[in-house]
Amino acid sequence: MPSGALSPRSLRLLGLAGILLIALNVRSAVAALSPLAARIDADIALDPTAIGLLGVVPPVAFALSGIVAPLVARRWGLERSLLLAVLAMVVGHLLRAAAPDYLALVLGTAIVLMGAGFGNVLLPPAVKRYAPLALGTVTAAYATLMSISTALPPAIGVPVADAVDWRVALGLWAVVAVLAAAPWAVLALRPPRPPAPTDPPTGEIDLAVAIEQPDTGRFRDLRRSRVAWGITIAFTASSMTAYSVFAILPLVLQDVAGLSEAAAGTALAVFAIVGLPLSLIAPVLVGRLRRPTPLIVMGAACGVAGFSGMLLLPTAAPLLWVALMGAGQVLFPVCLALISQRSDGPATATTLSGFVQAVGYSIAASVPLAFGGINALTGSWAPALIVLATVALLALTAIPFLRSGETVDAELARRAR
């Protein structure tokens, strides 16, 4: 049945399925590689600097997506842009699984992560479009699936590599990405119809109309928004710590805490698993709290405790330190929820999501490479852990920017007056 013949309810359910399936994909490409670094090194040389460079690819790709995705969504529409994102993930997974050398490995990683970056940017406006009356619940659901997609690759990657090969362990995630393409392929074929000027406003979203187009000019306006900067500060702290952990934590645990390769991979899965209940609860709490201050304080405190514990007492309780680092990532679902909550419509959500992620990931991009280089020079991970504890603490500076509780639209309108 052509998608244009589907009822609004069916389109809504397809959109929700698409949102959840993309969420199950956006982190798997990031988390799948580092636990397999030693296996890959047998075929493709990976020294600490090379691993650090691979760690830079996720935030760079996500930062570029923050700039490009709103432009593509404006030109092609939300559904076609998300379909493009999923197809890029499929191609990227397969390319790096078949990579004959380091350059192909980096290229495949960049492609899959550009697709994941598009998903990161466009999921908040997709929630705003397909679930406008359940922002907290749907954001909690997809943030939870993001945590699952972070936890699964480290947990099963090494066993699959042991049983078959590291290439299979990387390439199997293409299957999950293919599943996510189905609902967006149907929705992308739905012919858009602009809303009639006389259409009455309702509490239900009209899924037969085209998505409100993001005004890319607002990107410049957001630089004047305290609300936008508050979300960006918290998101940047989360990104810097998360992607550094993905890149270096298995090596830190092996070199500093004395864990085996398999145990280090399991610990990285613990980092992600801890985020599961937080991803369920945090977006709902954001919807109920006028200010997200308690959640930001919790994220900063847990991050500082985790990185400091790994620095000072690495062998005492390594899994506890990793779990605290994971709890510090509560900032990520908080920011996702704030992007939707502090936007008045899908257009603002698209632009705000792009702004927050472009700035946050641009800053985060240099960190894993720097840590790899510093380790190569000094032979120590202590400088990296000190920096990461400091970054977690700096998340507290977001609190004053988010006190008002107003949306970006309302703030900019007030400033214009």
Side-chain angles (χ1 to χ4, degrees), residues 8 30-31 39 61 70 77 81 102 120 166 190 211 225 268 275 286 318 343 361 396 417:
V30 180
R39 311 303 176 89
S81 300
Y102 182 73
N120 271 334
W166 66 263
R190 180 172 53 86
I211 185 172
S225 169
L268 188 59
V286 169
S343 304
Y361 287 129
L396 296 175
R417 289 194 300 267

Side-chain angles (χ1 to χ4, degrees), residues 10-359:
S10 297
L11 292 170
R12 185 178 298 108
L13 291 174
L14 272 176
L16 291 174
I19 288 167
L20 298 179
L21 285 169
I22 285 187
L24 196 55
N25 280 274
V26 294
R27 290 286 190 91
S28 60
V30 180
L33 194 61
S34 60
L36 300 173
R39 311 303 176 89
I40 298 172
D41 185 54
D43 296 326
I44 301 171
L46 294 178
D47 59 25
T49 302
I51 293 173
L53 181 58
L54 282 169
V56 170
V57 176
V60 167
F62 291 168
L64 289 175
S65 298
I67 298 170
V68 176
L71 300 174
V72 174
R74 180 181 177 85
R75 184 175 182 85
W76 285 8
L78 179 65
E79 291 79 8
R80 292 185 182 91
S81 300
L82 284 168
L83 177 60
L84 175 65
V86 175
L87 295 178
M89 285 189 263
V90 173
V91 171
H93 280 304
L94 294 176
L95 178 58
R96 70 176 184 174
D101 53 32
Y102 182 73
L103 181 60
L105 185 66
V106 172
L107 179 60
T109 300
I111 292 173
V112 69
L113 290 171
M114 280 297 291
F118 267 52
N120 271 334
V121 173
L122 298 178
L123 281 179
V127 174
K128 196 79 174 177
R129 179 176 186 184
Y130 286 94
L133 304 181
L135 295 178
T137 301
V138 177
T139 301
Y142 91 70
T144 301
L145 287 173
M146 282 186 174
S147 295
I148 292 173
S149 77
T150 309
L152 284 178
I156 70 175
V158 172
V160 171
D162 286 339
V164 190
D165 183 67
W166 66 263
R167 297 183 183 276
V168 175
L170 283 182
L172 62 85
W173 302 106
V175 177
V176 185
V178 168
L179 295 176
W184 294 112
V186 176
L187 292 169
L189 292 173
R190 180 172 53 86
R193 178 178 63 81
T198 56
D199 284 350
T202 67
E204 293 291 330
I205 189 164
D206 181 1
L207 294 178
V209 303
I211 185 172
E212 181 186 357
Q213 299 298 335
D215 180 3
T216 53
R218 290 290 295 271
F219 224 90
R220 295 188 299 272
D221 296 337
L222 291 180
R223 292 180 298 180
R224 300 184 290 108
S225 169
R226 289 175 59 84
V227 175
W229 280 114
I231 300 172
T232 300
I233 290 169
F235 187 88
T236 300
S238 174
S239 301
M240 290 178 70
T241 53
Y243 290 99
S244 296
V245 166
F246 292 143
I248 69 171
L249 183 62
L251 296 175
V252 172
L253 290 169
Q254 292 174 64
D255 295 348
V256 176
L259 270 63
S260 67
E261 179 189 20
T266 301
L268 188 59
V270 169
F271 172 80
I273 290 169
V274 169
L276 287 174
L278 298 175
S279 296
L280 277 170
I281 297 168
V284 177
L285 291 177
V286 169
R288 295 180 179 179
L289 296 171
R290 178 174 172 81
R291 302 178 183 91
T293 300
L295 296 170
I296 295 175
V297 170
M298 173 192 166
C302 289
V304 171
F307 291 117
S308 298
M310 188 64 71
L311 173 68
L312 300 174
L313 299 167
T315 59
L319 288 182
L320 173 61
W321 310 139
V322 172
L324 286 168
M325 295 175 200
Q329 290 302 302
V330 69
L331 293 175
F332 181 72
V334 166
C335 291
L336 292 179
L338 286 171
I339 289 170
S340 295
Q341 185 195 60
R342 299 297 181 95
S343 304
D344 284 345
T348 303
T350 301
T351 309
L352 178 60
S353 182
F355 177 85
V356 168
Q357 297 193 46
V359 175

